[in-house]
Amino acid sequence: GVVVLSNATSVFALTNGPRQVQVPVDAFTDPEAEEYLVDKRRVLDDPADRALLQRIIEDDTTVVGILQTYAQTYDDATGDAAAKRAAVEALFDKRAKKADSTLAKLLKFGSGKEPGASFDVPAYRELVKMLLDAPTPENGVDDVDLDLPTAKRVAPVLAEYPALRYNPNTSRYYWYETRHRRAAERLKDAKSPLLRP
């Protein structure tokens, strides 16, 4: 399913984008994701594939459309099961690197180090730290104690660097996908200067 957000009324409007944007909202639970890939699509159904299957579900996403992309990559790959597994792993790695890059750009923007930043918002860094430290990140965090601009001003930044998302119904921020949380965990483990004050 999709939600269509209109540029005329939504805080999520893309300033330089199309008038309407489709945002995927359907996601499987972890067991449903595994059932979809293994039982329905016959992807990564060999015991040797178990570790990669778990990495996709636990470290990337359970959004239906992305799992369909993984399944299609598997189906389209030529060769034996090992070659198909390698194609899926390459897609996983590419998506993880993209998450690393997107989060780094958001944090650079938030530190005022990104070229063309229209305003300096170091609170993005604090928001990422709050989400990392949240006991239940799936419940998101609010920005009550942060010096973020209004959601209308934040929306174009998050549209440009979609590592986080804001839900106006709950007034809370969330990880865009699990892979972005994993990217932040890697930065934290590496003691990256991007997460330092």
Side-chain angles (χ1 to χ4, degrees), residues 16-30:
N16 296 321
R19 295 287 297 165
Q20 294 186 0
V21 180
Q22 293 186 344
V23 180
V25 294
D26 284 343
F28 289 125
T29 63
D30 289 1

Side-chain angles (χ1 to χ4, degrees), residues 71-137:
Q72 194 61 51
T73 298
Y74 186 88
D75 292 344
D76 291 348
T78 57
D80 61 7
K84 289 178 174 285
R85 181 172 48 250
V88 170
E89 192 159 20
L91 175 60
F92 176 88
D93 291 341
K94 179 180 177 182
R95 286 179 49 78
K97 287 177 185 169
K98 177 69 174 168
D100 290 340
S101 171
T102 300
L103 182 63
K105 287 176 182 176
L106 175 68
L107 292 169
K108 287 177 184 175
F109 181 96
S111 67
K113 295 176 184 169
E114 184 72 8
S118 59
F119 51 89
D120 181 16
V121 189
Y124 286 120
R125 184 174 42 247
E126 294 309 312
L127 191 56
V128 166
K129 287 181 186 178
M130 287 170 61
L131 277 163
L132 275 172
D133 294 338
T136 52

Side-chain angles (χ1 to χ4, degrees), residues 160-193:
E160 182 76 20
Y161 312 115
L164 307 175
R165 59 186 171 84
Y166 176 76
N167 184 332
N169 296 322
T170 62
S171 299
R172 297 177 77 78
Y173 287 87
Y174 303 85
W175 295 111
Y176 191 78
E177 289 178 344
T178 304
R179 65 190 174 118
H180 298 100
R181 184 176 81 225
R182 298 295 187 231
E185 289 169 352
R186 287 190 289 275
L187 286 177
K188 183 178 180 181
D189 290 346
K191 298 182 174 25
S192 170

